[in-house]
Amino acid sequence: MALRPDEFYDHALTAADGERRLPLARMTGWDISPFEPDGLRVTPLRPPVLPEPARHGEDPSNCESCRDRDKGIWFNDSWRLTRITRVGVPLVLMLHPREHYDMADLPDELAAELGVLSTHIVRHVQALPHISRAHVYRIGDGGAHLHIWFFARPEGQTQLYGSWMPVWDDLLPEYPADVAETDAAIVADALVTSIGGRRSATSESPHD
C-alpha cells in the first residue's frame, strides 16, 4: 500500500534542509539539462493539499475538449488530433477521444485503438524531414479529458533528448507557425492513408 499523504511528506522531508528544500535532482547534472547546477535552488516542498483541487473538465458540461470535439487536423468517429500552437519545437500534436474519457475509464476497444493510432502518429511524425524522434507523453494532472502529447524532436539537437524536452520547448523561441502547419497537414494526410479518418483545416489549439 502506498504511503499516506502525510507519510509521504514526512518521508520526503528526511532529505530536505531546514527550509524544506530538497537537493538538486541528478537530472540537473545530465548533459541534456537546460540548466547549470550552479545557482539553481529547489523550491521548498509544500505540505500535501487534500482534497486535491478539481482538474479542468471534471464536469463534462464544462469541458473544453468536449466543446471542441469537432476541431482538429484529423478525425475519425472516436478520436481527433490537434496541433498545439506557440511552441518551440518543430511540431506538437495532441490526441483526444471525442467523448469524455480519461485514461483509467477508457473502454478496452478505445484503449486498443489508442495504441494503434499512437503508433501511426509517431511513425508519420518521424517520417518528416529533419525530425529524429516523436516523444509521447500522458500527464493528466491538469485536465480530466484524456489528452496525449506528441513532441517532434528536431534532428541533430541532442540536448533535446529525453525527459527534459518539454522544458526546452518552453525555453526555445516560437517555431515558425507556417512550417509547423505544413508538417501537421502532412501527418494528417498520412493518417488518412494509413488508418482512415478525414482531414480538417481547423487545426490549432493554444499551448497552455
Side-chain angles (χ1 to χ4, degrees):
M1 179 184 297
L3 296 177
R4 297 192 314 265
D6 59 316
E7 291 175 331
F8 180 88
Y9 183 63
D10 289 342
H11 169 72
L13 287 180
T14 64
D17 63 16
E19 295 182 320
R20 293 178 287 113
R21 297 180 192 272
L22 293 165
L24 288 178
R26 292 183 298 276
M27 292 171 60
T28 58
W30 296 356
D31 62 0
I32 59 172
S33 171
F35 306 111
E36 295 179 350
D38 290 346
L40 274 181
R41 297 183 76 198
V42 176
T43 298
L45 188 65
R46 295 188 290 265
V49 176
L50 296 170
E52 292 189 2
R55 297 177 298 172
H56 174 77
E58 295 281 8
D59 179 354
S61 67
N62 295 323
C63 177
E64 289 183 9
S65 191
C66 289
R67 182 197 66 199
D68 294 339
R69 69 187 309 274
D70 294 322
K71 294 182 180 179
I73 61 172
W74 173 91
F75 300 89
N76 66 14
D77 291 342
S78 302
W79 300 92
R80 67 187 181 98
L81 186 68
T82 60
R83 179 174 75 86
I84 306 300
T85 61
R86 302 193 300 275
V87 299
V89 297
L91 188 63
V92 178
L93 302 175
M94 185 178 284
L95 182 65
H96 325 244
R98 298 184 72 190
E99 300 300 326
H100 192 79
Y101 293 111
D102 199 356
M103 179 72 86
D105 53 31
L106 199 64
D108 286 351
E109 180 181 355
L110 289 184
E113 290 179 9
L114 173 61
V116 174
L117 185 51
S118 296
T119 299
H120 282 250
I121 293 169
V122 166
R123 184 178 300 155
H124 300 321
V125 170
Q126 291 184 175
L128 293 168
H130 310 305
I131 299 300
S132 287
R133 207 83 61 225
H135 292 199
V136 184
Y137 303 91
R138 182 265 173 177
I139 310 300
D141 280 333
H145 193 122
L146 176 61
H147 49 291
I148 308 292
W149 298 80
F150 298 83
F151 280 67
R153 180 175 67 73
E155 182 181 22
Q157 292 300 142
T158 57
Q159 273 185 291
L160 274 62
Y161 277 1
S163 51
W164 279 112
M165 186 169 170
V167 180
W168 279 109
D169 173 61
D170 275 347
L171 295 169
L172 291 164
E174 184 175 336
Y175 193 82
D178 57 337
V179 179
E181 186 173 4
T182 298
D183 282 343
I186 292 171
V187 171
D189 284 336
L191 278 174
V192 172
T193 299
S194 69
I195 208 167
R198 63 188 186 280
R199 273 281 314 276
S200 173
T202 56
S203 62
E204 297 182 351
S205 296
H207 190 342
D208 295 329

